[in-house]
Amino acid sequence: MYTTPEQFIAATKASLETQFAALTSLNKKAFEGLEQFVSLNVNAAKASFEESSAAAKQLASVKDAQEFISLTTAQAKPTAEKALAYGRHLASITNATQQEFTKAVEAHIAETNAKVSSLIDEVTKNAPAGSEQAVTALKTVVGNINAGYEQLSKTTKQAVQTLEENLANATQQFTQAADKVTSKKK
């Protein structure tokens, strides 16, 4: 029963603490994703530098144009495959981070909705006579907000699924194109 200002203050404080905890959790997940992204890029840069040095040494030792063409052709497919692997790993990191964000946000929203519903129920128990229409309107607003969130959530999930499908198709097409180019040069 929320009838005193102290009870409203306590409810507000609990709500703020919950929101702070959720925000902290989201920040932690964001930094974890960023850390994985930085690690991926550092490792890719190291590998690229080492491979470029080795390739440059091989190209420096070439004696004629035919040997140069065959060496560059031989290096093209592994380079394309590494670029694809990098793209897949990056997509995996992004997808995992997005899923963690979605889970955390959905959990927070469910918890907040439960608290708001509980608060509305408590307030309506102590509402003065004649305020039924205001209470009904408040419940309708909360219901509409929840329905809007549900629709936004569904739309976001569909967009992510479409993006993942497009990425998979692009990767497949790039792989096929790289295979055609390397097989023609041989």
Side-chain angles (χ1 to χ4, degrees):
M1 179 181 285
Y2 296 102
T3 57
T4 66
E6 290 82 18
Q7 289 171 319
F8 278 114
I9 291 170
T12 302
K13 181 181 176 189
S15 176
L16 289 174
E17 288 173 352
T18 301
Q19 289 181 12
F20 182 73
L23 186 59
T24 301
S25 174
L26 290 175
N27 282 333
K28 181 181 176 190
K29 290 176 188 334
F31 279 112
E32 288 171 357
L34 182 62
E35 181 180 35
Q36 290 174 346
F37 175 71
V38 168
S39 177
L40 173 66
N41 283 328
V42 167
N43 290 336
K46 283 181 185 178
S48 178
F49 179 74
E50 291 170 4
E51 291 163 5
S52 295
S53 296
K57 287 178 185 176
Q58 287 177 337
L59 290 173
S61 68
V62 169
K63 296 187 182 17
D64 61 20
Q66 184 61 33
E67 187 179 353
F68 180 81
I69 290 171
S70 26
L71 186 59
T72 55
T73 302
Q75 292 173 349
K77 187 173 181 178
T79 301
E81 289 171 351
K82 287 175 187 154
L84 286 172
Y86 172 84
R88 286 185 192 117
H89 197 148
L90 182 60
S92 172
I93 291 169
T94 303
N95 188 32
T97 301
Q98 183 269 333
Q99 286 178 356
E100 289 295 319
F101 262 62
T102 300
K103 272 196 260 179
V105 168
E106 286 175 349
H108 177 67
I109 287 175
E111 183 179 343
T112 301
N113 284 342
K115 287 181 179 180
V116 167
S117 294
S118 175
L119 179 61
I120 290 172
D121 289 343
E122 288 296 320
V123 168
T124 56
K125 287 179 187 175
N126 298 317
S131 62
E132 292 82 15
Q133 288 181 340
V135 170
T136 301
L138 181 60
K139 287 183 177 181
T140 301
V141 167
V142 170
N144 289 340
I145 290 170
N146 287 338
Y149 169 74
E150 294 280 330
Q151 186 60 41
L152 178 64
S153 179
K154 287 178 185 177
T155 303
T156 302
K157 287 177 183 179
Q158 289 172 347
V160 168
Q161 182 180 5
T162 301
L163 181 64
E164 289 172 351
E165 290 170 359
N166 288 342
L167 180 62
N169 288 338
T171 301
Q172 181 182 13
Q173 290 174 0
F174 183 73
T175 303
Q176 291 170 350
D179 286 343
K180 286 180 184 176
V181 168
T182 56
S183 65
K184 285 182 182 178
K185 289 186 177 181
K186 289 182 180 181

